[in-house]
Amino acid sequence: MTFIREIISFFTFSEPNVKVVFLGSLILCAISGLVGTFTFLRKRSLIGDVISHAVLPGIALAFIIGHQKNVLYLIIGATITGWISTYLVEYITRHSKIKSDTAIALILSVFFGIGVLLLTHIQHTGAGSQSGLDQFIFGRASAMNQSDIVLFGSVGIVILVLTLIFFRGFSILSFDEGYANAIGFPIAWLKLILSIITVITVAMGVQAVGVVLMSALLITPAAAARFWTNKIHILAILAVLFASISGIIGSAVSYTYNGMPTGPWIVVIVSLLAFLSAIIGSKTGILKSWNLRRRNNVKILKENTIKLFYALNSEQPDNSGFQFSEIAENARMENTTLRSGLKLLRKEGWLIGNDRQGYQTTEEGKREARAIVRKHRLWELYISKYMHLQPDHVHDDAEGIEHVITPEIERELEEQLDFPKLDPHNSEIPY
Amino acid sequence: MMTGNSVETHNLTVIYNKKPAIWNIDFTLPAGKIIGVMGPNGSGKSTLLKAIMGIIEPNIGYAKIFDKDLDDVRERVSYVPQRQSVDWDFPASVWDVVAMGRYARKGMLKRLSAEDKSIIEESLEKVNMTAFAQRQISQLSGGQQQRVFLARALAQQADIYFMDEPFVGVDAATEEAIINLLKSMRDQGKTLIVVHHDLHTAQDYFEWMVLLNTRLVRVGPVEDVFNQETLTETYGGTLTTLSKVASLLQEKSFPMRHK
């Protein structure tokens, strides 16, 4: 029960430090989600990884020069080496035979290696072990204090405002750089601002999740959000939301289990969100495909049921109501299925009546019946002509395809077949 | 009808990886015409377009549009990039992409006005894509993607349009729709500069032609420059001495110009 008590104490901010941890993680994760949206859209995920590893030597150097853990110095140091690393990757790719994947691997490991060396050196001199520099590898949100939060908050607001101002610019830059350039957007400036924002976000974010996992916090929220939306604004909002949720839960867990690193937990949560998004959110996701199958089945049942009335109506045009048994006679479906089909059509307004009075098609129902029969017969004619099938081989295919033919395709069929009068069985095609 | 020069280039040279991609391109093109830019693969057609529009900084030489520097006429210049140059999985609708055409005038900050919106709708109408306005761009066919790019360029209401391979990977109906659109734009006095590589249609589509193979092979009215001799010169092979010199520049890291 201590676990639950701890969780409650976290979310009620009963300890003053909790509020700091909570706010800090929230701010850092939210900004990562926002800025990461463009890293994701520009396909710069690996560059994010380079930056997050390359901030380590900057942090260590800032500590050596400043002789203590001052978050502002650390961020400045981190920003400088992070910036240098992206510049080097770009320079190497452009001016040598080395391709970008190699350049990325090279720079990432060199900077990280130097960072670990410097960190080890600091810890050996004694001061480092108390200063908690090792937390930068995996991140520990609980090490943040109030003045850190003020700093993160103010820098975060600046980044938010810049992103909002340049949202249009960043979007077009991400979609079509050449066009953005051609219409006179200041591409060089936009890229510079975006990469400075990204480096600073990473430099701050490593406080919460550490250098190893920072790129996941940058990319995963946007990747998860992409499953839910096709609109870039909503993508950014969802990415911020997902990142914030992970930040809150991750820091709560890290607080509850004393000494548990924050970073891995945040990343586990955000990855879980991405996994769920992939299953539920996407078109291929389980929910969507269930839904789609259900809607398809409803459409098929409706069209198959109304089709029965086309035959009935043409045999007895002035019948004032067909009995259920009459309808069921020609129906190639279970009686229960037919009943639910009839119910659907009544709800749709294609049918009126009931079992006692019999069923009758409305004007709309007659039109729909003609439409489905027309599609069926057009398709029969089409495949008998273009697939060279015998007239007795076309019916089964048309039974399936008639439901999927859109009005545009129907028009195409009509034009290609020159508005035919008769199908391959010499039945009339109703228009 | 627009008269005078549309594009003028002077010794325009772009060097990729120490080797010239286009070399000393020197020409003057008229305004109000449909002008084809033709040449084999890797002959620098796209590079030429990008260098004229300032998307690539030329290493040597310069280009002028309507006798002015690019920055002074930017609003009058529109661009249709190669369809494959962007990721069509990007989270945007057809409308979003066409709206980018208006940002050329609005800049990064100003909101779109009602007039902008009606221009966007008109542009969609002209390429017959009105019904697809809210469609996600990843769901479009190749021909529809190309129409969207054209609508975006139309929405700019420019005077000169640079188009990079607008006929690649589109269906016959779209190709015909595009060429008819280009002709009606030309009739309104617009200048259209179109990178193209299908020799069979070139004569029907273009009034003027730039034949390119790293160097300029010919430029002029189609009836003057499009014949067996010039095509052999363009497609038949590179000038051996010229390409040897280009390779030497690359191998020995010689600068093309020095003080």
Side-chain angles (χ1 to χ4, degrees):
Chain A
M1 283 301 102
T2 43
F3 172 73
I4 292 173
R5 219 176 305 136
E6 292 276 324
I7 287 282
I8 291 170
S9 100
F10 178 85
F11 283 109
T12 50
F13 306 132
S14 57
E15 274 181 55
N17 188 43
V18 174
K19 205 183 277 178
V20 169
V21 174
F22 175 85
L23 267 178
S25 311
L26 188 63
I27 294 169
L28 294 179
C29 290
I31 294 169
S32 300
L34 180 67
V35 174
T37 301
F38 292 104
T39 318
F40 169 74
L41 288 176
R42 294 187 71 207
K43 304 189 172 44
R44 293 298 186 90
S45 309
L46 288 173
I47 295 287
D49 211 17
V50 173
I51 299 172
S52 61
H53 283 79
V55 297
L56 195 60
I59 288 171
L61 280 174
F63 184 82
I64 291 171
I65 294 166
H67 291 294
Q68 54 172 323
K69 189 192 159 206
N70 177 320
V71 172
L72 181 63
Y73 287 180
L74 296 185
I75 288 178
I76 294 173
T79 306
I80 292 172
T81 50
W83 173 255
I84 292 174
S85 72
T86 56
Y87 179 78
L88 279 178
V89 169
E90 211 156 289
Y91 185 87
I92 290 174
T93 315
R94 192 178 305 165
H95 293 281
S96 78
K97 282 214 164 101
I98 295 172
K99 301 275 181 285
S100 76
D101 63 325
T102 314
I104 283 169
L106 220 69
I107 296 298
L108 183 150
S109 33
V110 166
F111 274 71
F112 189 61
I114 294 173
V116 172
L117 273 183
L118 291 174
L119 222 54
T120 319
H121 170 74
I122 293 167
Q123 267 162 348
H124 279 219
T125 57
S129 46
Q130 296 98 32
S131 72
L133 272 172
D134 53 331
Q135 81 212 15
F136 285 109
I137 304 278
F138 291 119
R140 210 166 78 222
S142 54
M144 290 187 274
N145 63 42
Q146 197 137 19
S147 66
D148 298 347
I149 303 300
V150 174
L151 181 69
F152 293 159
S154 355
V155 178
I157 287 171
V158 173
I159 290 179
L160 176 69
V161 169
L162 282 174
T163 310
L164 290 179
I165 291 176
F166 294 115
F167 198 88
R168 183 185 285 173
F170 290 163
S171 304
I172 302 189
L173 176 71
S174 309
F175 176 60
D176 192 349
E177 190 180 322
Y179 187 74
N181 198 336
I183 62 176
F185 277 24
I187 286 294
W189 280 107
L190 283 174
K191 279 184 175 171
L192 185 70
I193 294 166
L194 190 54
S195 71
I196 289 176
I197 288 178
T198 313
V199 173
I200 293 177
T201 303
V202 170
M204 295 201 306
V206 294
Q207 320 265 335
V209 294
V211 297
V212 180
L213 297 173
M214 183 56 210
S215 70
L217 184 59
L218 210 55
I219 301 304
T220 319
R226 187 66 184 89
F227 287 112
W228 297 97
T229 181
N230 284 325
K231 295 195 163 65
I232 190 166
H233 298 88
I234 297 175
L235 182 76
I237 292 169
L238 280 181
V240 170
L241 189 73
F242 288 161
S244 306
I245 292 172
S246 331
I248 293 166
I249 298 179
S251 60
V253 175
S254 153
Y255 167 83
T256 314
Y257 293 105
N258 210 1
M260 190 73 107
T262 331
W265 272 105
I266 293 181
V267 170
V268 164
I269 308 276
V270 79
S271 307
L272 198 66
L273 286 175
F275 180 67
L276 289 176
S277 302
I279 294 179
I280 304 169
S282 70
K283 274 219 175 84
T284 50
I286 289 174
L287 271 193
K288 284 264 168 78
S289 70
W290 273 348
N291 207 358
L292 193 65
R293 207 176 313 153
R294 198 185 54 82
R295 265 188 301 170
N296 285 345
N297 285 338
V298 166
K299 183 167 192 278
I300 291 171
L301 177 59
K302 268 164 54 183
E303 292 179 344
N304 281 342
T305 313
I306 198 70
K307 204 165 56 174
L308 297 169
F309 284 87
Y310 180 82
L312 292 169
N313 280 336
S314 47
E315 281 160 24
Q316 295 163 278
D318 36 85
N319 195 311
S320 58
F322 295 102
Q323 294 307 309
F324 183 81
S325 56
E326 274 179 279
I327 303 166
E329 204 174 315
N330 295 315
R332 280 193 287 177
M333 53 175 110
E334 302 279 335
N335 279 353
T336 45
T337 317
L338 179 59
R339 269 192 203 289
S340 52
L342 292 171
K343 210 165 130 194
L344 278 171
L345 296 193
R346 248 191 352 218
K347 226 193 287 173
E348 196 72 34
W350 295 0
L351 275 189
I352 46 171
N354 52 39
D355 268 1
R356 252 181 312 120
Q357 298 160 349
Y359 293 90
Q360 214 180 350
T361 42
T362 60
E363 275 312 305
E364 199 186 348
K366 286 201 179 85
R367 201 165 53 236
E368 292 295 335
R370 276 200 307 277
I372 191 70
V373 171
R374 181 168 66 244
K375 287 181 203 165
H376 180 102
R377 294 185 176 166
L378 279 171
W379 186 253
E380 285 186 333
L381 193 60
Y382 179 78
I383 57 173
S384 73
K385 187 168 172 191
Y386 289 96
M387 290 184 180
H388 308 289
L389 285 174
Q390 293 306 312
D392 56 334
H393 284 183
V394 294
H395 176 79
D396 290 341
D397 197 70
E399 276 294 292
I401 302 298
E402 62 189 17
H403 305 294
V404 81
I405 290 176
T406 59
E408 294 98 63
I409 294 184
E410 190 185 334
R411 215 172 312 131
E412 259 175 51
L413 288 174
E414 287 168 356
E415 277 162 18
Q416 277 189 46
L417 299 166
D418 198 18
F419 297 90
K421 298 238 171 337
L422 296 175
D423 75 359
H425 316 290
N426 287 324
S427 307
E428 189 198 343
I429 298 176
Y431 288 98
Chain B
M1 189 64 74
M2 192 162 289
T3 53
N5 298 335
S6 57
V7 176
E8 190 186 341
T9 64
H10 277 272
N11 281 7
L12 201 64
T13 303
V14 173
I15 301 167
Y16 280 146
N17 199 12
K18 292 174 188 161
K19 205 173 172 178
I22 52 170
W23 195 345
N24 278 341
I25 306 296
D26 228 81
F27 60 59
T28 307
L29 301 177
K33 298 242 184 292
I34 305 180
I35 300 164
V37 177
M38 304 202 54
N41 283 337
S43 58
K45 302 184 293 281
S46 296
T47 306
L48 174 65
L49 239 58
K50 287 180 184 163
I52 295 171
M53 278 181 296
I55 295 173
I56 303 176
E57 196 68 32
N59 299 73
I60 299 163
Y62 62 89
K64 290 199 175 243
I65 296 178
F66 297 128
D67 299 322
K68 291 195 176 113
D69 284 338
L70 175 68
D71 283 328
D72 300 327
V73 289
R74 183 87 71 173
E75 280 197 357
R76 300 171 64 193
V77 180
S78 185
Y79 175 41
V80 181
Q82 278 185 30
R83 186 165 57 80
Q84 301 93 325
S85 68
V86 304
D87 173 15
W88 289 90
D89 263 335
F90 196 84
S93 64
V94 167
W95 173 277
D96 294 335
V97 174
V98 180
M100 289 176 192
R102 295 312 297 160
Y103 300 154
R105 278 160 201 262
K106 289 280 153 177
M108 276 190 292
L109 305 175
K110 266 186 254 156
R111 293 176 66 101
L112 295 182
S113 64
E115 193 201 344
D116 292 316
K117 286 176 184 160
S118 73
I119 291 170
I120 294 169
E121 267 155 29
E122 266 169 45
S123 309
L124 280 168
E125 181 89 51
K126 281 183 191 156
V127 297
N128 217 351
M129 286 290 286
T130 310
F132 295 87
Q134 294 313 317
R135 188 74 66 94
Q136 156 69 13
I137 54 171
S138 64
Q139 296 166 356
L140 302 176
S141 70
Q144 290 168 337
Q145 290 173 351
Q146 195 61 60
R147 285 164 193 245
V148 171
F149 261 9
L150 277 173
R152 179 174 72 171
L154 286 173
Q156 263 184 269
Q157 300 192 317
D159 291 320
I160 182 165
Y161 293 78
F162 292 92
M163 305 185 171
D164 203 345
E165 303 267 21
F167 299 112
V168 162
V170 305
D171 50 292
T174 301
E175 175 147 0
E176 201 187 324
I178 293 176
I179 194 66
N180 287 336
L181 181 68
L182 300 193
K183 282 177 178 160
S184 79
M185 288 162 77
R186 185 264 328 270
D187 294 341
Q188 289 162 25
K190 314 280 188 193
T191 307
L192 302 126
I193 297 177
V194 182
V195 171
H196 189 58
H197 69 224
D198 182 13
L199 290 170
H200 301 290
T201 49
Q203 257 176 310
D204 302 329
Y205 288 179
F206 305 123
E207 299 157 281
W208 260 59
M209 207 172 277
V210 175
L211 292 173
L212 196 70
N213 191 346
T214 308
R215 70 205 190 275
L216 181 66
V217 178
R218 285 286 194 291
V219 60
V222 170
E223 55 274 22
D224 298 348
V225 301
F226 194 76
N227 55 48
Q228 196 53 51
E229 185 202 347
T230 56
L231 287 183
T232 313
E233 206 180 325
T234 312
Y235 289 85
T238 42
L239 287 182
T240 28
T241 315
L242 192 69
S243 66
K244 270 187 204 157
V245 171
S247 299
L248 270 179
L249 285 171
Q250 187 179 29
E251 268 168 40
K252 310 219 165 186
S253 277
F254 266 106
M256 279 198 63
R257 295 279 161 100
H258 55 89
K259 303 232 163 76

